[in-house]
Structures are given as C-alpha cells and as structure tokens.
Amino acid sequence: MFAAIDLGSNSFRAHIGNVEDGTIKVFRSTRESNRMAAGLDESGMLTPEAVERGLASIRRIRSFLEPYPLAEVRAVATNTFRVAKNAQDFLAEAEKLLGYPIDVISGEEEGRLIYLGVANVLKVADEKRLVIDIGGGSTELVVGHGNDIKRVESFPVGTVHQSLGFFPEGRIDSPSFDDALLFARSRFEDAADYYRQAGWTTVYGSSGTIRAMGEMLAVNEIGDGLFTLENLRKLQAKMIGVGRLDGLRLEGIKSERVTSILGGLTILLVLMELFGIDRIFPIEAGLRVGVIWDTYLKSNQTDRRDQAVRQMVSRFHIDEKRAQRVAEYALAVYSLMQPETDHFRKLLYWSALLHEVGIFVSPTGYHRHGAYLLEHADMAGFTTREQYQMSRLVLGQMGNLKKLEGFMASQDLMKAVLALRLAVMFQHAKVGFRHDRLKVSVDSHIEIALPQAWLDQYETLLFWLERESEFWKEAGMPLQLRPC
C-alpha cells in the first residue's frame, strides 16, 4: 500500500492506493484547500497566516494516513515551494509534523510524474497525446506516445496569478479578460509552433481545475456540454455577463473552486487557440497517481533515475569505463565502512558515474562545474534533495572539505564522501584495486589499512593518502593509515 502527498499551490492532497495488475487503484483520498500561492507577499515570502494554514493541513493529512499500513509514503511540493523564499523553513516544520521527507520537484519532473499517472490509467500503448495540467502556480505540458514522454515543459503561469492578478475583488469584465488572455498568450506563444506540429491526436486535462471545469460544462449544459473551445467561449461570455465571481451560480461546483476555474479558463482559452486544440478530455489521473506509480517502479528495481544518469554520461561524453571503475570502487569501499542504511548507496553510485561530468565545461576545477550541473540539470526521476546530495558528493571528491560544511552531519553521508574520494584516488594512482585487500573503518577517527605492496608499487598513492590525511584533520576527523 502506497501513499502520495501533493503540496500544491491551491491545495494539499493525498492518495492512498495500491498496484493491482499493473494499474494504480486509489481507494482513499483527501484534499485540504489552503491557497498557499495566495499567501505569498510582495517580497516572495509565505505570510505567517499562510504558513499556519499549510501546517494545519499537514496535521490533518498525517491523521488521515495514520490508520493505514503503508509500505511507502512520498510527499512532493510544487511551484509555490519552488519560488517562496522561506519555503525551506516551512518544509522543515512540515516534515516534522508529517513524519516523512518532502521533496520539492522541478516543473519538468512534475510534468513527468503527471504523465506517468495519465499513461498508467489510460493503458493505450500507441496513442499520441498531449497532457495539460494547470495548477495554482504553473502549467505543465507533456507530449507523449504511449508510455514514452517526448517533451515536457513547465510554464510559470497558473490559476492564482490569473485570478487574483486580473480580477481583483472578483470583478469580471471584458477588459480584465483581455488583459489576462494577453498575459497568458505571452507565456505560451513562443511554444505554439512546436505543439501545433507535435503529432498528438488526443488532448487530456489532468488537473483538478480542468476536471472541475469539464464537470461544470456538462452539468450546467453550457453549449453541448463538451470540453471544446466554443463552449469555453460561452462560459467566458456567461462570466462576463454576471460580472462578479460571487454572482456566479453554477451547479456541481464548490464555491472554493470557482476562483481557480476563472484563472484556468484564461489559460485554456489561450492554449486551445494557439495550439489548435478542438477538444480536451478531462481525466481522473495525474501527479499523485504518477507519484504512486513511480514509487512502485523504484521499489521493483525499475528506476527511471538510472536512465537519466546514463543519458548524462552519453550527453557529456564521459569516459564510461573510467566512470564505471570509480563507481565500483566507491561502492566497495562504502560497504567496507558498514553504513547504517542503504539510503545513500544508489546516490553514491550515480555520483561516481558522473564524477567527471564537469570536464565537459572545463578540466580546471571540474568538480565544481560538475556539482553545479548536477544540482541544476533536469534529471528525470530525481528530486531536488537528491540532486543536491549528488552535487555535494561530486564537489567533495577532491580538495579541502570545508566546502562540505554541514553536509556531512550524517555519518553515512560522510562515509559516502570518503568512499568517493578514495575511489577517485585509486583511479588516479592506477591501483590494481581489490576490496578484499583493503580495510576502512570510521568511528571517532578514520582508519585505512591497505597492503604495503600497494604503497611500494603505485608511486603516487602515498602522496595522495598523505594529502587526504591533512584534509580530514582540518575537518576534525583524524585519518590514520596502517600498511598491512
């Protein structure tokens, strides 16, 4: 049994589900409407009121999860927490209350997870599709063919800005609509040529806003009730005719959703016109289903992160044999130190494979260039936290350890840093590495026992080890070398 938690810009939501015959079955859900994006002040900070609303939502979600025997729980945070300057302060408190880590995901990763959820529900192997997800702070567009994603983009425009920015105090008129449409067009116009020619045959809308709008069109019999551009224009005319949000009387729609629908409408009108979309099919699938499916795949050794790393190895022309040697050395050394958990083993392996990625930028200081690339690259399947940890491992592969201050608070992370540094060192010194000839232990100090024959045969090895001892001494962790 799996749980997926989505800390969105309009609401926090959670699904509890399982995988049956390769399909996600969601049997319990909860939604906490808190409009976090509306709680960003002019300086980009979440207000104290917004923080309290968010934390109260987290407490209720924790209570919702508690009765269930969950194998894995994954929580992701989207656009508001990508842009809020005090997001980390909020998330630190939220993690304590929730009892699970919360990963801030990029817009592109959000789009990939949305598509995974849609593809899992549709099960149409040969369909060429465009998936649209309109959130409170951003809009994700994904072109795919069956289970394969061809292109994913995140655009920084969502329902909150469109509603609050152009329809103050709920007033709706033609000039306000024109301004909102113009702003949305400015965000999507440059992408129009690609999406018009992308070859999709069907368009799906996966967000709650689109599903609510589809239900509203059908229940209120706007036009023929279908999700078409013609009917959206009729909805626009109806809204302008009423003149105020609080004056709209729409069957089947909760009052709290009307504001989102207004902002979403301005985005959809532009997308359908620009991209030549005749009809959208709302679908009850998206980010949370994608998170559950992705979690299930990872637990069954089908990890998309492996593919992302291999793509970077190829894209940046990394010497694969050299990278693989360092990765194998690093894992072997890490095992010798007996880490408390296997939590960082994969991250260490991937970091070792990519430890020379920065050479693509410049051979000088390549560890710094590599760290920057890993922290900021679009790497499918990786969370922001994981990419940061990998970037620190790559940064710490050589040189002084002051630059990792605060990162090695976890002893397992310290062991991972040491394992990668030793692996790189053995590679540089051309050591005929055998892990059964080596002993590495970490307690109040580091002790490395290695064959005297290695020190005699590989001329630079002792030089590297003596430098290493100085670096760890400066970091407050004495390193003792013992030939055997």
Side-chain angles (χ1 to χ4, degrees):
M1 193 179 299
F2 300 90
I5 303 163
D6 162 22
L7 275 60
S9 297
N10 272 325
S11 60
F12 293 176
R13 304 186 69 169
H15 276 354
I16 294 175
N18 218 334
V19 179
E20 300 176 12
D21 300 322
T23 300
I24 302 297
K25 303 292 185 183
V26 176
F27 60 86
R28 284 298 305 277
S29 295
T30 188
R31 178 176 183 269
E32 291 284 334
S33 179
N34 49 37
R35 301 186 70 201
M36 295 297 289
L40 287 169
D41 64 22
E42 293 181 357
S43 63
M45 303 282 283
L46 289 168
T47 64
E49 295 78 14
V51 168
E52 186 49 47
R53 287 200 307 271
L55 294 178
S57 295
I58 292 292
R59 292 186 189 96
R60 289 189 287 270
I61 288 174
R62 175 63 185 266
S63 298
F64 167 76
L65 298 177
E66 282 177 347
Y68 299 95
L70 300 170
E72 293 196 50
V73 176
R74 185 178 176 197
V76 299
T78 58
N79 187 74
T80 293
F81 302 99
R82 293 194 286 265
V83 302
K85 293 179 180 178
N86 57 340
Q88 289 307 314
D89 295 335
F90 171 85
L91 292 171
E93 290 300 313
E95 287 183 339
K96 292 177 185 176
L97 292 173
L98 185 62
Y100 299 98
I102 299 170
D103 295 314
V104 180
I105 56 175
S106 68
E108 290 71 21
E109 180 62 10
E110 183 179 353
R112 289 189 184 92
L113 290 169
I114 288 165
Y115 190 88
L116 280 180
V118 171
N120 179 265
V121 168
L122 290 174
K123 297 291 186 186
V124 183
D126 200 41
E127 184 177 61
K128 296 178 180 178
R129 60 179 74 104
L130 169 63
V131 175
I132 301 172
D133 189 282
I134 300 174
S138 63
T139 296
E140 280 65 50
L141 302 178
V142 193
V143 175
H145 186 180
N147 291 327
D148 298 327
I149 294 173
K150 303 302 180 183
R151 178 162 170 159
V152 56
E153 288 188 274
S154 180
F155 297 82
V157 54
T159 62
V160 172
H161 176 269
Q162 292 297 99
S163 296
L164 301 183
F166 295 102
F167 305 98
E169 300 178 1
R171 295 191 303 272
I172 308 172
D173 55 33
S174 292
S176 297
F177 244 107
D178 290 343
D179 289 343
L181 292 172
L182 180 62
F183 180 85
R185 179 177 288 271
S186 73
R187 293 299 183 266
F188 295 106
E189 193 167 38
D190 190 47
D193 288 345
Y194 170 80
Y195 287 97
R196 276 185 170 273
Q197 301 166 21
W200 44 265
T201 57
T202 311
V203 181
Y204 295 95
S206 65
S207 64
T209 295
I210 293 178
R211 292 194 298 271
M213 196 178 303
E215 183 178 350
M216 183 185 64
L217 291 170
V219 171
N220 293 274
E221 298 180 345
I222 295 175
D224 58 8
L226 300 179
F227 208 122
T228 63
L229 179 58
E230 180 182 358
N231 288 340
L232 290 187
R233 286 174 174 153
K234 290 178 179 178
L235 176 59
Q236 176 189 4
K238 180 179 178 67
M239 287 184 164
I240 292 172
V242 172
R244 292 193 61 83
L245 269 177
D246 55 16
L248 286 171
R249 298 292 180 264
L250 297 166
E251 294 294 327
I253 300 300
K254 295 179 180 178
S255 58
E256 66 194 52
R257 301 304 301 269
V258 176
T259 302
S260 295
I261 287 173
L262 173 60
L265 176 60
T266 67
I267 295 171
L268 283 169
L269 284 168
V270 167
L271 290 177
M272 295 185 81
E273 290 175 354
L274 280 178
F275 298 173
I277 299 170
D278 296 320
R279 184 175 178 183
I280 293 175
F281 294 87
I283 183 170
E284 190 69 33
L287 179 58
R288 289 168 300 285
V289 173
V291 168
I292 291 176
W293 184 237
D294 192 52
T295 304
Y296 170 78
L297 291 177
K298 287 178 182 179
S299 68
N300 286 271
Q301 307 305 312
T302 307
D303 198 327
R304 293 182 306 123
R305 294 173 296 179
D306 283 314
Q307 183 181 5
V309 170
R310 296 296 175 181
Q311 287 173 342
M312 284 197 76
V313 168
S314 174
R315 184 189 314 153
F316 292 100
H317 308 293
I318 294 170
D319 185 325
E320 291 188 42
K321 291 183 178 179
R322 184 180 173 92
Q324 188 65 44
R325 268 197 306 274
V326 171
E328 290 171 0
Y329 293 174
L331 286 187
V333 174
Y334 193 58
S335 295
L336 291 173
M337 290 184 277
Q338 299 180 333
E340 292 182 8
T341 71
D342 284 339
H343 183 74
F344 300 112
R345 190 175 296 275
K346 277 191 171 183
L347 293 181
L348 172 60
Y349 178 72
W350 291 320
S351 300
L353 286 176
L354 297 171
H355 78 282
E356 291 186 330
V357 67
I359 291 176
F360 184 85
V361 178
S362 171
T364 303
Y366 70 85
H367 59 303
R368 293 191 296 272
H369 303 310
Y372 182 87
L373 287 171
L374 287 181
E375 185 173 359
H376 298 286
D378 175 20
M379 299 179 68
F382 284 95
T383 66
T384 303
R385 187 196 310 258
E386 289 169 338
Q387 288 190 223
Y388 174 77
Q389 290 170 338
M390 289 170 60
S391 77
R392 296 307 91 183
L393 286 170
V394 167
L395 180 64
Q397 69 181 279
M398 65 174 68
N400 72 71
L401 293 158
K402 294 178 182 178
K403 55 184 175 284
L404 299 184
E405 188 175 354
F407 176 69
M408 296 191 294
S410 159
Q411 192 170 78
D412 278 0
L413 272 175
M414 185 185 73
K415 290 176 180 178
V417 171
L418 177 60
L420 182 55
R421 289 171 73 91
L422 291 176
V424 170
M425 186 186 309
F426 292 143
Q427 166 67 34
H428 284 177
K430 308 297 183 186
V431 172
F433 179 78
R434 283 180 52 185
H435 73 275
D436 59 342
R437 304 290 305 279
L438 182 70
K439 293 182 180 179
V440 185
S441 62
V442 177
D443 192 0
S444 59
H445 66 283
I446 300 168
E447 183 171 307
I448 301 175
L450 75 170
Q452 179 66 49
W454 286 11
L455 299 175
D456 295 337
Q457 183 177 353
Y458 306 108
E459 295 180 358
T460 61
L461 182 56
L462 182 59
F463 167 78
W464 289 115
L465 285 168
E466 288 176 342
R467 282 172 56 87
E468 191 69 5
S469 179
E470 289 300 316
F471 289 135
W472 284 100
K473 181 179 178 181
E474 291 173 2
M477 176 63 71
L479 185 154
Q480 296 177 4
L481 181 64
R482 180 166 58 86
C484 60

